[in-house]
Amino acid sequence: MGYSHIETDVHATSDGALVAFHDDRLDRVTADHGLIRELPLARVRRADVGGEPIPTLDEVLEAFPDTFVNIDIKEPGAIAPLAAALRRHSATRRVCVASFGSSRLARFRSLMGPEVATAVGPIGVAWSALGRVVARVLPPRGVALQMPASIRVAGRSVPLVTPAMLRAVHSRGRVVHVWTVNERPAMERLIDMGVDGIVTDAIDVLSEVMAERGM
C-alpha cells in the first residue's frame, strides 16, 4: 500500500523472546489464553490470530528491512531484549521507541543512549500539551510526542492537538504523532492542522486520503 512506517507493541515471553503483540495476554484475539510474560515462546507460537502465528520482533524487522518501525515497550521485561534485537538487526536508525511507562523509557535510553530515537514520555506529553510554559523551561526528553487528539474531562472532550500546540512543539524541533485515528474527517482535519504522523487501524482510508492529497 506504499507505507514506509508501521507500528507495533512488544512483550517478552518467559524465555526472553520478543513478540510483536498489543495485549499482555493471548485471550482477547486468540483461542488460547495466558499472560505472555509467563509463557515460553514455543507456547505463544501455538496461538494464532486469523490463522497467522504471532510474530517475533526479529521476524518483523527481517520481513520489512527498509521500513521504519514505531515500537511501544509494553512491559519491563521487553527492554533488554529490544535493545539486543535492534543491535542484532542494525535497526537502531529506523525505529522510534515509545512507552506509556516513563521508567521503561528511562531504562531503555540508559541502554541505548542517543543511538535510538524515542518518544516523549507521558508526563512530557502532558507538559507540552497542557503546560507549554513548563515544557519550555523543562523540555522533556524524546523527539516525538505521540498522543490522542483529545481527552475526555468531566464528560467533555478537551482538545490536546491544536494549531498553537503544534507550533510550539515544532519550534522545539519535535514532531507530533496522533493515535488512533480511524475516521476520514479526523484524518483530514489533523493533516490540515499540520501533524507529522497519524497512527491508524484504517490503513486503507488513510492511504486514500494521502493519495488524494498527493502525499
Side-chain angles (χ1 to χ4, degrees), residues 150-167:
S150 63
I151 56 173
R152 294 200 71 78
V153 178
R156 294 175 54 248
S157 178
V158 177
L160 296 180
V161 179
T162 65
M165 176 266 188
L166 286 169
R167 287 193 297 271

Side-chain angles (χ1 to χ4, degrees), residues 134-157:
V134 176
R136 284 198 299 272
V137 176
L138 296 170
R141 295 183 67 181
V143 299
L145 279 77
Q146 299 180 343
M147 58 196 297
S150 63
I151 56 173
R152 294 200 71 78
V153 178
R156 294 175 54 248
S157 178

Side-chain angles (χ1 to χ4, degrees), residues 83-206:
L86 296 180
R87 290 194 173 109
R88 189 161 59 246
H89 292 275
S90 300
T92 56
R93 295 298 182 183
R94 63 180 180 100
V95 300
C96 180
V97 173
S99 180
F100 284 105
S102 298
S103 62
R104 294 196 292 268
L105 269 178
R107 284 179 55 194
F108 178 80
R109 289 177 181 135
S110 72
L111 287 176
M112 302 301 290
E115 187 178 357
V116 176
T118 56
V120 174
I123 296 173
V125 168
W127 285 356
S128 298
L130 301 174
R132 287 187 280 275
V133 173
V134 176
R136 284 198 299 272
V137 176
L138 296 170
R141 295 183 67 181
V143 299
L145 279 77
Q146 299 180 343
M147 58 196 297
S150 63
I151 56 173
R152 294 200 71 78
V153 178
R156 294 175 54 248
S157 178
V158 177
L160 296 180
V161 179
T162 65
M165 176 266 188
L166 286 169
R167 287 193 297 271
V169 170
H170 289 159
S171 73
R172 295 192 289 274
R174 291 185 173 88
V175 297
V176 176
H177 304 155
V178 185
W179 50 261
T180 300
V181 185
N182 293 333
E183 303 297 329
R184 174 184 281 263
M187 293 175 182
E188 298 272 10
R189 184 174 66 254
L190 290 166
I191 292 172
D192 288 340
M193 203 181 295
V195 301
D196 305 282
I198 287 175
V199 181
T200 184
D201 301 314
I203 58 174
D204 53 341
V205 178
L206 182 58

Side-chain angles (χ1 to χ4, degrees), residues 18-54:
L18 208 58
V19 293
F21 197 67
H22 176 275
D23 296 1
D24 61 349
R25 327 182 51 94
L26 301 174
D27 304 51
R28 185 173 65 92
V29 294
T30 82
D32 219 318
H33 64 277
L35 282 167
I36 289 174
R37 65 175 175 268
E38 296 177 354
L39 303 173
L41 178 61
R43 176 76 170 71
V44 172
R45 295 287 271 183
R46 294 211 301 267
D48 70 79
V49 181
E52 296 289 340
I54 296 169

